[in-house]
């Protein structure tokens, strides 16, 4: 390595296997410390700043760093005076790396990044409305009228914010651009104009209706169509139904979030509807035809003899429609065999006779299977 030059890693205070992020952090810290604006008239600090920039321009570029690691300073000899490898010694030498690394810092500080400008027209805010509907309404779809309080474009000034066209003046500070340039030593940066706040204009005669805001709050009725198949948490987007925009910007959107009330009989599982139907012991044993409720009204269902409690019958296509129209759910009818709690003397007599007659010969396959399994366990 050239004996007249310090090692670049030593200048930035990092190890030779330092990552790109570690090199950038080290450079940022040292550049702030030795920047000429912070050390006016200090020639030693200025030379140190040049040295730091030179080291960073090499180590921050993977190809240059690889050449430096292999050949040392000698690989750059004869190129620096001509501006090679970043133009060491010229104006770019001071600013290229510094402005690149610090543009995000100054952008946060001044409210804007390098090369960015603030748009005068701004989109309005999105709104949320929570809407509760019935179970049947979720199944078949419905239309609801809601009352919504939101900002709308001022009808008096049509969103211009001014009482008259002559009440709008071009900002004298930024000349209508909304941006001003600030010189920071060796470089300059654009930032939002503080006088017009980036609007590029000044309202000298504010609209009396909206007080120069271009918007007023208003409560309005809005019709919302609820498609069939919605469920708890479904979000319906209504484009343009949010807050009015600023300075001619587009309005925001309205998001209607659905909550479905619980039903006293039906429950939902995906697009299927579940209902529990109680039947008597004679109906289960002998078979019967019963009526079951559904979203489409009452339906007939045949119960075959020997139906057990918990048996589920499927009624195809009697559930919820798919929200996107691809399919239709089913209705699942779960049978619950009800045991009578109070018996008349005659009913008790008949059941006792049934029990005597049945004995061990009665066909109870579930009970028999359970008893056989117990015998296997304890033998």
């Amino acid at each position: 390595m050239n004996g007249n030059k310090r090692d670049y890693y030593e200048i930035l205070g990092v190890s030779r296997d330092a990552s790109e992020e570690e090199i950038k952090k080290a450079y940022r810290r040292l550049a702030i410390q030795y920047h000429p604006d912070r050390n006016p008239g200090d020639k030693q600090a200025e030379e140190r700043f040049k040295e730091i920039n030179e080291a960073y321009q090499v180590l921050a570029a993977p190809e240059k760093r690889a050449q430096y690691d292999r050949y040392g300073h000698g690989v750059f000899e004869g190129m620096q005076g001509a501006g090679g490898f970043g133009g060491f010694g010229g104006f770019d030498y001071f600013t290229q790396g510094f402005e690149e690394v610090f543009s995000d810092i100054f952008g946060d500080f001044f409210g804007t990044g390098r090369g960015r400008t603030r748009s005068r027209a701004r989109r309005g805010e999105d709104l949320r409305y929570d809407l509760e509907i019935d179970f049947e309404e979720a199944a078949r779809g419905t239309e609801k009228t809601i009352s919504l309080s939101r900002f709308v474009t001022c009808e008096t000034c049509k969103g211009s914010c001014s009482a008259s066209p002559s009440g709008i003046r071009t900002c004298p500070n930024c000349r209508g651009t909304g941006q001003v340039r600030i010189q920071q030593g060796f470089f300059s940066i654009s930032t939002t104009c503080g006088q017009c706040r980036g609007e590029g204009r000044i309202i000298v005669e504010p609209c009396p209706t909206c007080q120069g805001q271009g918007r007023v709050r208003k409560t309005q009725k809005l019709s919302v169509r609820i498609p069939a198949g919605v469920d708890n948490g479904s979000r319906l987007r209504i484009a343009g139904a949010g807050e009015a925009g600023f300075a001619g910007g587009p309005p925001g959107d309205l998001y209607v979030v659905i909550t479905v009330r619980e039903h006293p009989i039906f429950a939902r599982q995906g697009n299927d509807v579940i209902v529990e139907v109680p039947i008597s012991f004679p109906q289960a044993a002998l078979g019967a035809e019963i009526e079951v409720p559904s979203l489409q009204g009452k339906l007939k269902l045949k119960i075959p003899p020997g139906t057990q409690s918990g048996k589920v019958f499927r009624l195809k296509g009697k559930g919820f429609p798919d929200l996107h129209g691809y399919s239709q759910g089913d209705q699942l009818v779960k049978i619950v065999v009800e045991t009578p709690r109070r018996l008349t003397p005659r009913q008790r007599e008949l059941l006792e006779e049934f029990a005597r007659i049945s004995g061990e010969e009665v066909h109870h396959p579930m009970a028999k299977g359970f008893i056989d399994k117990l015998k296997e366990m304890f033998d």
Side-chain angles (χ1 to χ4, degrees):
M1 290 190 180
N2 192 326
N4 297 325
K5 281 184 173 289
R6 291 176 61 199
D7 179 67
Y8 286 151
Y9 292 99
E10 180 185 343
I11 291 172
L12 295 183
V14 296
S15 64
R16 301 191 72 84
D17 59 353
S19 66
E20 291 183 16
E21 186 61 29
E22 290 173 330
I23 290 173
K24 182 179 286 189
K25 286 181 179 179
Y27 169 71
R28 182 179 294 177
R29 175 177 54 82
L30 293 170
I32 291 176
Q33 181 180 351
Y34 291 101
H35 192 275
D37 283 356
R38 300 190 63 177
N39 302 275
D42 189 337
K43 295 296 182 181
Q44 187 175 358
E46 184 175 330
E47 291 301 319
R48 184 83 168 92
F49 183 70
K50 291 179 182 179
E51 188 180 45
I52 292 165
N53 271 276
E54 181 179 327
Y56 176 72
Q57 293 226 357
V58 171
L59 299 185
E63 292 183 3
K64 297 179 189 177
R65 182 179 179 182
Q67 290 178 317
Y68 175 74
D69 288 343
R70 187 170 184 179
Y71 302 110
H73 291 95
V75 73
F76 303 126
E77 289 179 358
M79 303 178 66
Q80 297 177 12
F85 282 125
F88 299 146
F91 178 76
D92 286 343
Y93 157 75
F94 287 102
T95 63
Q96 184 176 352
F98 188 81
E99 188 171 358
E100 176 187 347
V101 175
F102 287 91
S103 60
D104 55 339
I105 297 178
F106 283 95
D108 292 339
F109 181 78
F110 291 116
T112 182
R114 183 176 60 174
R116 287 182 288 177
T117 58
R118 179 179 175 182
S119 174
R120 300 176 188 177
R122 301 199 305 280
R123 182 178 181 274
E125 300 90 347
D126 293 336
L127 293 178
R128 168 177 172 151
Y129 188 93
D130 294 316
L131 180 62
E132 190 176 51
I133 62 174
D134 291 332
F135 193 88
E136 291 88 350
E137 290 176 326
R140 63 173 180 264
T142 185
E143 191 163 327
K144 294 287 188 179
T145 299
I146 64 174
S147 182
L148 187 65
S149 177
R150 57 179 175 167
F151 279 109
V152 298
T153 301
C154 175
E155 296 180 358
T156 303
C157 68
K158 309 301 182 185
S160 70
C161 305
S162 176
S164 65
S166 61
I168 304 175
R169 306 261 179 93
T170 300
C171 176
N173 189 42
C174 65
R175 294 185 175 86
T177 65
Q179 298 282 309
V180 293
R181 295 192 69 82
I182 296 177
Q183 191 72 27
Q184 293 290 318
F186 294 102
F187 63 95
S188 63
I189 190 168
S190 292
T191 184
T192 302
C193 175
Q195 189 166 345
C196 67
R197 297 183 179 180
E199 297 292 336
R201 61 179 191 166
I202 296 175
I203 307 298
V204 294
E205 295 179 24
C207 171
T209 302
C210 64
Q211 308 301 317
Q213 298 301 309
R215 312 188 306 172
V216 292
R217 182 169 288 280
K218 198 172 184 179
T219 299
Q220 296 177 319
K221 299 290 185 181
L222 186 66
S223 180
V224 179
R225 189 182 70 82
I226 312 297
V230 294
D231 201 354
N232 279 312
S234 292
R235 292 202 319 163
L236 308 178
R237 174 178 170 267
I238 304 177
E243 306 276 27
F246 297 87
D253 299 331
L254 172 65
Y255 289 89
V256 179
V257 181
I258 301 297
T259 299
V260 181
R261 298 186 188 97
E262 290 188 3
H263 195 277
I265 295 177
F266 300 120
R268 182 173 178 176
Q269 181 177 307
N271 286 332
D272 292 337
V273 175
I274 303 173
V275 60
E276 290 188 351
V277 177
I279 63 173
S280 67
F281 169 73
Q283 287 176 315
L286 302 175
E289 185 177 77
I290 64 173
E291 285 188 340
V292 297
S294 77
L295 294 172
Q296 292 78 25
K298 292 182 179 180
L299 300 174
K300 297 286 187 178
L301 178 65
K302 287 187 176 181
I303 305 297
T307 295
Q308 302 298 313
S309 188
K311 171 69 176 178
V312 176
F313 295 92
R314 183 180 293 271
L315 303 179
K316 295 290 291 183
K318 300 301 181 182
F320 271 72
D322 184 83
L323 184 59
H324 303 290
Y326 298 136
S327 61
Q328 183 89 15
D330 303 328
Q331 177 164 316
L332 307 180
V333 181
K334 182 179 181 180
I335 297 300
V336 179
V337 179
E338 191 171 19
T339 303
R341 296 183 179 181
R342 297 175 183 174
L343 298 174
T344 65
R346 179 59 178 159
Q347 288 172 331
R348 178 177 290 276
E349 180 183 346
L350 290 173
L351 281 176
E352 288 175 349
E353 183 179 353
F354 173 77
R356 282 196 305 273
I357 295 173
S358 299
E360 291 296 327
E361 297 179 1
V362 71
H363 296 290
H364 289 157
M366 291 178 64
K368 186 176 184 303
F370 180 72
I371 292 172
D372 290 342
K373 289 178 183 177
L374 285 179
K375 289 179 178 179
E376 290 178 5
M377 286 180 60
F378 294 104
D379 282 349

